[in-house]
Amino acid sequence: MVVDSQPRQALVRRVTGLARSTPGRLSLIVVVLVVASLASGWLTTWSVNRQERALEDLATRSEPLAHAAQEVYRALQDADATAASAFLSGGLEPSELRERYEADIAQAQAALSVATATSPELTATLAAQLPVYTGLIETARTNNRQGFPVGAAYLREASGLMRTQLLPAAQELYRAETGRVARAQDEASFPWGSVAVALAFVIALVLTQRYLTRKTNRLLNVGLLVATGAAALSLLWMTTVSVLVMNDVADSRAASQKVDVLAQARIATLTARGEETLTLVARGAGQTYEKNFVEVSERLEGLLDQAIKLDDTAAVDEAMKQFRQWQQVHQRIREADDAGQYTEAVSLIGSPYFDSLDQALVRGIGEARQDFSDEVAVARVSLSGTAVGVLVLAVVGAAGAAMGLWQRLKEYR
């Protein structure tokens, strides 16, 4: 055992002695700098690629899927409100209402097929219960055309299915997809880790040059200057681009927040319309529906106020104007219905203010979605070429550090 330990001790002394010598230290420094440069470049490239993937997901997947989920909810809610409005006409409903109902169901099915491709578990209830709902509506329609009072019972059953199963499932889908948008935005945020590593590498290069100046009494080392310049340029490039992307992502968050608020306002509008219509369908027994209408209207007004605070556009102002006019007409509907003037109340429910409100919200959502797409597109352009650029600079930095220190090492031979 003693014989074996002697060569080991000799090896340890040689390694220790080499590490304490200037050539040994320079050799160690060059290895560390080359590895650090390549590691910093790899980490920065990985961060840039992560941001690019997140932005691509926002542009081509997350936001479109969130919109599809919102469209499922909207189309189902509008279909239910339209079916109730058609029922009030009695007998053969107006063709425009029938066409609107069928268009809503078709839009819901189309948007559902898009969402099913990525979230089949969240769309299972919708896929299973939507045919049941449409079947109940057709039964209610058939009985209503023949003048059978049981048609109202089928309509209420269909509306109950919509409220208790279809709409909650659609809302869960919408929340899941908007959550995906938020996660993608988080992934595109500022890469603090990569910037910190790049900054540490620049500092290490500066300290290395100071060390060489003390040891060799030479102020300049071309190789290390090249390495430092490449590392500093990479750090500046990455930091500048990341700040730009961070600002664009923050603006996209504001746009997506407005989309969400306006989408909720549109859903609340359709919900209120359904409650208003079902109040008349119930013929004197619709106190619960009227109570729901008041509650939803209050929530709708709050959402419109919130949208105005986020971005006071012409579309949002128009939506608020139409909402207030609709509320005035609703008051007249209630006065007529409470006075026993049912026919007049039904005629008033066809006022244009609901459609005008819905159209204003559609414009507002479209404008906000366009703002979102523009911000994401600008962020993607800002990142263009960054991954390749920082990787090339990392190689230049590693080569410069190796060449600069190799020149000093040759002096000790």
Side-chain angles (χ1 to χ4, degrees), residues 61 298 354 412:
R61 183 180 176 88
E298 291 176 352
F354 161 74
Y412 288 91

Side-chain angles (χ1 to χ4, degrees), residues 122-142:
L122 295 177
T123 57
T125 298
L126 291 165
Q129 296 301 321
L130 185 55
V132 178
Y133 170 81
T134 56
L136 289 171
I137 290 295
E138 289 307 311
T139 302
R141 177 172 175 258
T142 300

Side-chain angles (χ1 to χ4, degrees), residues 258 262 307-308 311-319 363-364 367 371:
K258 185 179 178 183
L262 291 176
I308 290 174
D311 190 8
D312 190 7
T313 62
V316 178
D317 288 340
E318 180 65 18
R363 290 197 304 274
E367 292 170 359
D371 291 342

Side-chain angles (χ1 to χ4, degrees), residues 270-310:
L270 297 169
T271 303
R273 176 65 162 183
E275 301 292 349
E276 181 181 55
T277 305
L278 287 172
T279 302
L280 295 180
V281 171
R283 284 183 173 269
Q287 291 80 6
T288 300
Y289 296 124
E290 175 60 19
K291 179 182 177 182
N292 292 340
F293 175 88
V294 173
E295 293 176 352
V296 175
S297 295
E298 291 176 352
R299 185 168 74 251
L300 172 56
E301 185 173 14
L303 289 168
L304 291 175
D305 285 334
Q306 185 178 353
I308 290 174
K309 292 177 182 178
L310 289 173

